[in-house]
Amino acid sequence: MSILLTQTDDDLRDAVQQAVELAGRRGARARAAAHQDGLAKVAMRDGDVETEERSGRQGLTLSVVYEGRRGLAATAALDREAVAR
C-alpha cells in the first residue's frame, strides 16, 4: 500500500519539526511547512461500483537562512529519510 496521503496531523507536525531541527543543527535559521491534500470519488450505478478515483498531493518545503544567504528545499516524500536528505 502506498504511503501517499496517509499521514496524520501529528506526522506532518513531526516532519516539519524534524526539518527545522536538522537545519538548526547545521547553524541555519529555518521555517518549514508541510501539506497534504486528497480527493476520493466513488460512483455507483444499479448497486455496482462504476468508477473509483483517488488523487492528491503532499509535500514539505524548507526555507533556510545561513550566513546571510537564503535557500529553499522541497520534497514530496514525508518519511524521516526523505526529510533528512
Side-chain angles (χ1 to χ4, degrees):
M1 178 178 178
S2 171
I3 62 169
L4 179 65
L5 303 177
T6 60
Q7 282 73 27
T8 65
D9 290 350
D10 286 339
D11 294 333
L12 296 177
R13 193 174 297 110
D14 290 346
V16 168
Q17 182 177 1
Q18 177 192 357
V20 170
E21 286 177 358
L22 287 172
R25 287 184 205 151
R26 292 173 173 86
R29 290 187 6 236
R31 178 184 185 280
H35 71 274
Q36 175 175 263
D37 306 303
L39 174 66
K41 294 165 62 173
V42 177
M44 294 187 75
R45 183 185 305 239
D46 299 325
D48 295 321
V49 174
E50 190 173 59
T51 58
E52 290 183 80
E53 294 178 41
R54 184 175 297 272
S55 63
R57 61 191 181 104
Q58 66 185 25
L60 180 139
T61 58
L62 175 69
S63 301
V64 297
V65 177
Y66 180 74
E67 295 181 351
R69 295 178 294 189
R70 302 187 88 176
L72 178 69
T75 181
L78 300 177
D79 59 275
R80 294 192 68 77
E81 291 92 23
V83 172
R85 278 192 303 275

